[in-house]
Amino acid sequence: MKNYTDFVKTLVKNFEEADKLPLKTDESVFDSLKETIGNSLEGKNILIFAPHPDDECIMGLLPLRLMAEANANIIDVAVTLGSNLQRRQERRQELTDACKYLHWGIHICGKEGFDNVRLSTKRNDSQYWNTCVQEIADILNQYKPFAIFVPHTDDWNATHIGTSYLVGDAAEKAKYDGIVINTEYWGGIKEANLMVEASEEYIACQMQALARHVKEVERNDYHLRLPAWMSDNVRRGAELVGGQGQAAPKFNFATLYNVLKRDTNGVWKPMFERKFLTLQENATNIF
């Protein structure tokens, strides 16, 4: 590689070659991650509240690291199975395949996921909304999670935003006092306080699981774009987390989060000001 033109051409070639890969392969990336296992979170549950099947994979870097590096028990709570009624059984199976690959548990809300998890439902159908809030509160009381992952309140997509408010209402109802970790995808977190470094193996593991949502990635090959998104997160996180004008850490890939904990007055506040979690550190260092 001699210049930036070569660099860009290499990226294009890689995308073209990756597009030819079978969506499901026998590569077991997860097995290589298990070598780093510790036990500091053994027996503790961590819940991912995923607005749609596939979001668990996209937001899953830190949950993967907490499982591989601390032996946490990760459970994906599927808030919906998508809005297409004809696809729900198929999406359930795709989700099952993805979580089986990741060694995660699954809890599906409602009979086939909730419907219309949007702020408009909260405003216009309070009876249904409150039924969903109660079910999420029951899930929190059932699993008593050490931490939960949920989209932030401005994540652009209506169901992502609705899920954020739904889980927030349920956390109040259940008097949940564990750790809340806000995630992003469609809309960036403006107040992110944590950037988590990813290795090639962690990203490959996420991509392998994401590709199991077959019809979704056939429609939009965002599984192939995941490394590019996580590379751009380093650019954003350098200053969002590190502070304006600060030098970027020498990460190739990362995901941004906002980690919250209740203060003594019961108000959700950032658990810390700013933190970079490197690959050399155990994931539990954020706590």
Side-chain angles (χ1 to χ4, degrees):
M1 188 181 300
K2 298 178 181 179
N3 51 46
Y4 293 121
T5 301
D6 288 348
F7 173 64
V8 175
K9 286 182 176 179
T10 300
L11 292 177
V12 171
K13 182 179 180 181
N14 286 340
F15 272 119
E16 291 172 348
E17 291 298 315
D19 196 42
K20 299 173 186 177
L21 292 172
L23 290 178
K24 294 184 180 182
T25 73
D26 295 329
E27 181 187 8
S28 184
V29 180
F30 178 81
D31 289 342
S32 68
L33 301 180
K34 290 193 295 185
E35 298 175 2
T36 64
I37 262 183
N39 294 302
S40 57
L41 291 181
E42 187 172 13
K44 293 187 177 181
N45 292 325
I46 292 177
L47 304 184
I48 301 173
F49 286 94
H52 307 96
D54 69 14
D55 286 315
E56 77 288 341
C57 302
I58 293 167
M59 66 175 70
L61 172 61
L62 183 54
L64 268 176
R65 288 194 57 179
L66 290 169
M67 177 179 67
E69 297 168 24
N71 208 21
N73 183 38
I74 311 297
I75 300 162
D76 174 52
V77 180
V79 177
T80 83
L81 291 178
S83 58
N84 186 338
L85 297 178
Q86 285 69 44
R87 275 269 291 139
R88 284 187 176 174
Q89 283 299 319
E90 194 172 23
R91 294 199 77 175
R92 176 194 279 266
Q93 186 57 56
E94 290 171 349
L95 175 64
T96 300
D97 290 347
C99 287
K100 181 179 179 180
Y101 178 81
L102 293 169
H103 297 243
W104 291 353
I106 305 175
H107 186 119
I108 297 174
C109 295
K111 293 182 179 179
E112 288 293 332
F114 293 147
D115 295 306
N116 299 316
V117 180
R118 299 165 177 256
L119 282 180
S120 58
T121 304
K122 177 179 170 71
R123 291 191 294 265
N124 302 325
D125 190 353
S126 59
Q127 182 176 357
Y128 179 69
W129 182 267
N130 290 335
T131 298
C132 296
V133 167
Q134 183 61 61
E135 184 168 334
I136 297 293
D138 291 343
I139 290 170
L140 291 171
N141 287 326
Q142 174 186 347
Y143 291 104
K144 297 178 174 53
F146 172 77
I148 64 175
F149 288 79
V150 63
H152 70 110
T153 57
D154 197 25
D155 202 18
W156 184 78
N157 180 280
T159 304
H160 284 230
I161 293 170
T163 297
S164 183
Y165 281 94
L166 179 66
V167 174
D169 288 354
E172 294 303 316
K173 189 174 188 66
K175 297 181 172 56
Y176 173 70
D177 62 355
I179 296 165
V180 171
I181 303 174
N182 286 148
T183 65
E184 63 171 21
Y185 187 58
W186 295 107
I189 300 175
K190 295 179 181 178
E191 66 282 6
N193 64 356
L194 175 66
M195 180 158 67
V196 178
E197 185 179 11
S199 66
E200 293 89 340
E201 290 78 15
Y202 278 116
I203 297 176
C205 191
Q206 289 176 261
M207 293 175 72
Q208 288 277 3
L210 189 55
R212 281 158 168 76
H213 294 279
V214 175
K215 294 297 183 182
E216 297 303 302
V217 299
E218 286 179 347
R219 174 182 60 84
N220 183 341
D221 61 356
Y222 51 89
H223 64 306
L224 301 183
R225 315 289 169 175
L226 191 70
W229 174 67
M230 294 176 74
S231 178
D232 191 53
N233 289 340
V234 177
R235 173 194 63 82
R236 293 174 53 238
E239 303 207 15
L240 282 173
V241 179
Q244 291 189 31
Q246 299 303 307
K250 297 299 182 182
F251 295 175
N252 290 319
F253 306 102
T255 301
L256 305 183
Y257 301 95
N258 194 39
V259 185
L260 306 171
K261 191 83 170 65
R262 287 188 191 270
D263 66 13
T264 54
N265 297 316
V267 178
W268 290 101
K269 295 287 184 66
M271 193 171 177
F272 42 79
E273 186 176 1
R274 294 169 178 162
K275 188 169 291 189
F276 295 149
L277 179 67
T278 69
L279 286 168
Q280 287 68 46
E281 300 173 87
N282 188 284
T284 57
N285 285 359
I286 67 171
F287 306 126

